[in-house]
Amino acid sequence: MQLIHSVSELRARLANEKAVAFVPTMGNLHEGHIELVRIAREQGTCTKGTQSANQQTGGGDVCVVVSIFVNPLQFGPNEDFDKYPRTLEADCDKLQGLADVVFAPSVADMYPEQQTIYVEPPPIANELCGEFRPGHFRGMATVVLKLFNLVQPQVAIFGKKDYQQLAIIRQMVTQFNLPIAIVGAETSRAADGLALSSRNQYLSPEERTEAAFLSRTLCGMGDALKRGGADILALERGAGAALAKRGWQVEYISVRRQSDLGVPPQGERKLVIVAAARLGKTRLIDNIEVCL
Ligand code: PAF
């Protein structure tokens, strides 16, 4: 495994690679990230029709690239950019034998001059997380496009935990005609159901125990939807109230359409329940897909 910091070195290293699978991260890797890297290596099922990512990249000798970059552009002024855990050495240890290249650029490398050109994401970027993190998806999509330009992968793997991020990236790739297959990987969870996240380490021991209630709530909502006849609005309000009663500050809990996170029309069968809520100072997000 090779650790590369500069754009020029990365370009030279990848110049002759015919098949590149890419996992963009902000580091502080946990088992969820490692699973994405394993999927990159295996060239799992591609989201585009029946064509597998394996076919896209041409087979076994894929070069797996993991980027580690805490992107200032996607953090708001009152967010945790400064305190976001930077653990490059430990991350590289975890990636030994799994990744071929770790790309960990400096801010100056990624932003050689002030970024004045941005990816303007679709209106869905202003809802859900976007309502509470203005500009986040613009900064995220901009850095992902830059990383795609640098790495030029045939396939890129993103976790479904960041469902809205994944939906926006899919639209960006389609609308900018990028020749990249986007693979959405299932959320990795702790034994009690809590979605793995770098931010879980901010939780106190008591908060960590309580945190599993978020995924339990979503599962309960999913069961109610599957039983049929549920009033979606009442379900969303009930779940929000249950969380609030236990001390959560709920940002949103919403039943949406899987394809584009729009409000589901009557009869929509592919749903996703998305949520964001704060426990103490920690903001947690989660979602579950529900197919009726
Ligand atoms: O999901 C993340 O870790 C980040 O949003 C990403 C995709 C690496 C872009 O900075």
Side-chain angles (χ1 to χ4, degrees), residues 43-44 48 79 82-84 87 90 118 130 133 140 156 183 210 265 272 287:
Q43 300 285 299
K48 280 191 180 170
E79 293 188 339
D82 287 331
K83 82 166 192 179
Y84 199 88
T87 51
Y118 294 87
R133 303 189 68 188
M140 179 282 296
V183 175
E210 174 60 21
V272 57
N287 66 76

Side-chain angles (χ1 to χ4, degrees), residues 16 20 27 41 53 58 71 132 136 144 170 177 183 191 276 278 285 287:
N16 297 318
V20 176
R41 173 72 62 199
N71 171 36
F132 296 88
H136 166 69
V144 170
R170 285 194 199 286
N177 304 84
V183 175
R278 283 178 191 275
I285 61 170
N287 66 76

Side-chain angles (χ1 to χ4, degrees), residues 24-26 69 71 74 136 140 143-144 147 158 162 165 169:
T25 80
M26 297 203 300
F69 179 64
N71 171 36
Q74 69 189 71
H136 166 69
M140 179 282 296
V143 84
V144 170
L147 288 165
F158 291 85
D162 296 292
Q165 166 171 286
I169 288 166

Side-chain angles (χ1 to χ4, degrees), residues 1 3 29 34 68 87-99 102:
M1 190 191 79
L3 173 62
L29 304 182
I34 300 303
I68 295 180
T87 51
L88 183 60
E89 219 180 289
D91 291 343
C92 287
D93 288 346
K94 290 178 188 162
L95 291 169
Q96 282 296 349
L98 292 174
V102 175

Side-chain angles (χ1 to χ4, degrees), residues 3-12 102-106 109 150:
L3 173 62
I4 290 177
H5 291 287
S6 80
V7 165
S8 52
E9 212 189 326
L10 180 78
R11 287 209 160 110
V102 175
F103 176 50
S106 66
D109 252 295
L150 295 171

Side-chain angles (χ1 to χ4, degrees), residues 199-222:
R199 290 188 169 104
N200 292 351
Q201 65 194 267
Y202 300 155
L203 296 166
S204 70
E206 297 74 33
E207 287 169 344
R208 170 60 191 82
T209 305
E210 174 60 21
F213 190 69
L214 183 58
S215 67
R216 283 212 298 280
T217 302
L218 298 185
C219 288
M221 290 175 76

Side-chain angles (χ1 to χ4, degrees), residues 8 54 117 126 138 154 157 257:
S8 52
N54 233 341
I117 299 177
N126 301 320
R138 186 181 188 242
Q154 283 72 45
I157 325 294
R257 174 167 64 192

